[in-house]
Coordinates of all heavy atoms in Angstrom, one line a residue:
W1 N -5.6 3.4 -18.6 CA -6.3 3.8 -17.4 C -7.4 2.8 -17.1 O -7.7 2.6 -15.9 CB -6.8 5.2 -17.5 CG -8.0 5.4 -18.5 CD1 -7.9 5.7 -19.8 CD2 -9.3 5.2 -18.2 NE1 -9.1 5.8 -20.4 CE2 -10.0 5.4 -19.4 CE3 -10.1 4.9 -17.1 CZ2 -11.4 5.4 -19.5 CZ3 -11.5 4.8 -17.2 CH2 -12.1 5.0 -18.4
Y2 N -8.1 2.3 -18.1 CA -9.3 1.4 -17.8 C -8.8 0.0 -17.3 O -9.6 -0.8 -16.9 CB -10.2 1.3 -19.0 CG -9.5 0.9 -20.3 CD1 -9.2 -0.4 -20.6 CD2 -9.1 1.9 -21.2 CE1 -8.5 -0.7 -21.8 CE2 -8.5 1.6 -22.4 CZ -8.2 0.3 -22.7 OH -7.5 0.0 -23.9
V3 N -7.5 -0.2 -17.3 CA -7.0 -1.4 -16.6 C -6.4 -1.0 -15.3 O -6.6 -1.7 -14.3 CB -5.9 -2.1 -17.5 CG1 -5.2 -3.2 -16.8 CG2 -6.5 -2.6 -18.8
A4 N -5.7 0.1 -15.3 CA -5.0 0.5 -14.0 C -6.0 0.9 -12.9 O -5.7 0.6 -11.8 CB -4.0 1.7 -14.4
V5 N -7.0 1.6 -13.3 CA -8.0 2.1 -12.2 C -8.7 1.0 -11.6 O -8.7 0.9 -10.3 CB -8.9 3.2 -12.8 CG1 -10.0 3.5 -11.8 CG2 -8.2 4.5 -13.2
P6 N -9.3 0.0 -12.3 CA -9.9 -1.1 -11.6 C -8.9 -1.9 -10.8 O -9.2 -2.4 -9.7 CB -10.5 -1.9 -12.8 CG -10.7 -1.0 -13.9 CD -9.6 0.0 -13.7
A7 N -7.7 -2.1 -11.3 CA -6.7 -2.8 -10.6 C -6.4 -2.1 -9.2 O -6.2 -2.8 -8.2 CB -5.4 -3.0 -11.4
M8 N -6.3 -0.8 -9.3 CA -6.1 0.0 -8.0 C -7.2 -0.2 -7.1 O -7.0 -0.3 -5.9 CB -5.8 1.4 -8.4 CG -5.4 2.2 -7.2 SD -3.8 1.7 -6.6 CE -3.5 2.8 -5.3
L9 N -8.4 -0.2 -7.6 CA -9.6 -0.3 -6.7 C -9.7 -1.7 -6.1 O -10.0 -1.8 -4.9 CB -10.9 -0.1 -7.5 CG -11.1 1.4 -8.0 CD1 -12.3 1.4 -8.9 CD2 -11.3 2.3 -6.8
V10 N -9.3 -2.7 -6.8 CA -9.2 -4.1 -6.2 C -8.2 -4.1 -5.2 O -8.4 -4.7 -4.1 CB -9.0 -5.2 -7.3 CG1 -8.7 -6.5 -6.7 CG2 -10.2 -5.2 -8.3
S11 N -7.0 -3.6 -5.5 CA -5.9 -3.6 -4.5 C -6.3 -2.8 -3.2 O -6.1 -3.3 -2.1 CB -4.7 -3.0 -5.1 OG -3.6 -2.9 -4.2
C12 N -6.9 -1.7 -3.4 CA -7.4 -0.9 -2.2 C -8.5 -1.6 -1.5 O -8.5 -1.6 -0.2 CB -7.8 0.5 -2.6 SG -6.5 1.5 -3.1
G13 N -9.4 -2.3 -2.2 CA -10.5 -3.0 -1.6 C -10.0 -4.2 -0.8 O -10.7 -4.6 0.2
L14 N -8.9 -4.7 -1.1 CA -8.4 -5.9 -0.4 C -7.4 -5.5 0.8 O -7.4 -6.1 1.8 CB -7.6 -6.8 -1.3 CG -8.5 -7.6 -2.3 CD1 -7.6 -8.4 -3.3 CD2 -9.4 -8.6 -1.5
S15 N -6.7 -4.4 0.6 CA -5.8 -4.0 1.7 C -6.5 -3.1 2.7 O -6.1 -3.2 3.9 CB -4.6 -3.2 1.1 OG -5.0 -2.1 0.4
L16 N -7.5 -2.3 2.4 CA -8.2 -1.4 3.3 C -8.8 -2.2 4.5 O -8.6 -1.8 5.6 CB -9.2 -0.6 2.6 CG -10.0 0.4 3.5 CD1 -9.1 1.4 4.1 CD2 -11.1 1.0 2.8
P17 N -9.5 -3.3 4.3 CA -10.0 -4.0 5.4 C -9.0 -4.5 6.4 O -9.2 -4.5 7.6 CB -10.8 -5.2 4.8 CG -11.1 -4.8 3.4 CD -9.9 -3.9 3.0
V18 N -7.8 -4.9 5.9 CA -6.7 -5.4 6.7 C -6.2 -4.3 7.6 O -6.0 -4.4 8.8 CB -5.6 -6.1 5.9 CG1 -4.5 -6.5 6.8 CG2 -6.2 -7.3 5.1
F19 N -5.9 -3.1 6.9 CA -5.4 -2.0 7.7 C -6.5 -1.5 8.7 O -6.1 -1.1 9.8 CB -5.1 -0.8 6.7 CG -4.0 -1.1 5.7 CD1 -4.0 -0.5 4.5 CD2 -3.0 -2.1 6.0 CE1 -3.0 -0.8 3.6 CE2 -2.1 -2.4 5.1 CZ -2.0 -1.7 3.9
S20 N -7.7 -1.5 8.3 CA -8.8 -1.1 9.2 C -9.0 -2.0 10.4 O -9.3 -1.5 11.5 CB -10.1 -1.0 8.4 OG -10.0 0.0 7.4
W21 N -8.8 -3.3 10.2 CA -8.9 -4.2 11.3 C -7.7 -4.1 12.3 O -7.9 -4.3 13.5 CB -9.0 -5.6 10.7 CG -8.8 -6.7 11.8 CD1 -9.7 -7.1 12.7 CD2 -7.6 -7.5 12.0 NE1 -9.1 -8.1 13.5 CE2 -7.9 -8.3 13.1 CE3 -6.4 -7.5 11.4 CZ2 -6.9 -9.2 13.6 CZ3 -5.4 -8.4 11.9 CH2 -5.7 -9.2 13.0
L22 N -6.5 -3.8 11.8 CA -5.4 -3.7 12.6 C -5.5 -2.6 13.7 O -5.1 -2.8 14.8 CB -4.1 -3.4 11.8 CG -3.5 -4.6 11.1 CD1 -2.4 -4.1 10.2 CD2 -3.0 -5.6 12.1
R23 N -6.2 -1.5 13.4 CA -6.4 -0.4 14.4 C -7.1 -0.9 15.6 O -6.6 -0.8 16.7 CB -7.0 0.8 13.7 CG -7.5 1.9 14.6 CD -6.4 2.5 15.4 NE -6.9 3.5 16.2 CZ -7.2 3.4 17.5 NH1 -7.1 2.3 18.1 NH2 -7.6 4.4 18.2
P24 N -8.4 -1.4 15.5 CA -9.1 -1.8 16.7 C -8.5 -3.0 17.3 O -8.5 -3.2 18.6 CB -10.5 -2.0 16.3 CG -10.4 -2.2 14.8 CD -9.2 -1.4 14.3
A25 N -7.9 -3.9 16.5 CA -7.4 -5.2 17.1 C -6.1 -4.9 18.0 O -5.9 -5.6 18.9 CB -7.0 -6.1 16.0
S26 N -5.4 -3.9 17.6 CA -4.1 -3.6 18.3 C -4.3 -2.5 19.4 O -3.5 -2.3 20.3 CB -3.0 -3.2 17.4 OG -3.3 -2.0 16.7
G27 N -5.4 -1.6 19.2 CA -5.5 -0.5 20.1 C -4.6 0.7 19.7 O -4.5 1.6 20.5
S28 N -3.9 0.6 18.6 CA -3.0 1.6 18.2 C -3.0 1.7 16.7 O -3.3 0.8 16.0 CB -1.6 1.3 18.6 OG -0.7 2.2 18.1
V29 N -2.7 2.9 16.2 CA -2.6 3.1 14.7 C -1.3 2.7 14.2 O -1.1 2.5 13.0 CB -2.9 4.6 14.4 CG1 -1.8 5.5 14.8 CG2 -3.3 4.8 12.9
I30 N -0.3 2.5 15.0 CA 1.1 2.2 14.6 C 1.1 0.9 13.8 O 1.7 0.9 12.7 CB 2.0 2.1 15.8 CG1 2.1 3.5 16.5 CG2 3.4 1.7 15.4 CD1 2.5 4.6 15.7
P31 N 0.5 -0.2 14.2 CA 0.5 -1.4 13.3 C 0.0 -1.2 11.9 O 0.5 -1.8 10.9 CB -0.3 -2.5 14.1 CG -0.2 -2.0 15.5 CD -0.2 -0.5 15.4
A32 N -1.1 -0.5 11.8 CA -1.7 -0.2 10.5 C -0.7 0.6 9.6 O -0.6 0.4 8.4 CB -3.0 0.5 10.6
V33 N -0.1 1.6 10.3 CA 0.9 2.4 9.6 C 2.1 1.6 9.1 O 2.6 1.7 8.0 CB 1.4 3.6 10.4 CG1 2.6 4.4 9.8 CG2 0.2 4.6 10.7
V34 N 2.6 0.7 10.0 CA 3.7 -0.1 9.6 C 3.4 -1.1 8.5 O 4.1 -1.3 7.6 CB 4.3 -0.9 10.9 CG1 5.2 -1.9 10.5 CG2 4.9 0.1 11.9
C35 N 2.2 -1.7 8.6 CA 1.7 -2.6 7.6 C 1.6 -1.9 6.2 O 2.0 -2.4 5.2 CB 0.4 -3.2 8.0 SG -0.2 -4.5 6.9
H36 N 1.0 -0.6 6.3 CA 0.9 0.1 5.0 C 2.2 0.4 4.4 O 2.4 0.3 3.2 CB 0.1 1.4 5.3 CG -0.2 2.2 4.1 ND1 0.7 3.0 3.5 CD2 -1.3 2.3 3.3 CE1 0.2 3.6 2.4 NE2 -1.1 3.1 2.3

């Protein structure tokens, strides 16, 4: 767990900004959902 949890946090920390940016950039939630 002490390897898996930090790895998941890094992965989420890198993908969340991309998903969050897609919403206002596209004006729709669909691109973020498709990307996820």
Side-chain angles (χ1 to χ4, degrees):
W1 70 268
Y2 51 83
V3 173
V5 170
M8 186 64 177
L9 291 175
V10 170
S11 177
C12 290
L14 288 171
S15 59
L16 179 66
V18 176
F19 299 153
S20 298
W21 168 74
L22 281 171
R23 166 62 178 99
S26 67
S28 172
V29 73
I30 301 299
V33 170
V34 170
C35 185
H36 185 278

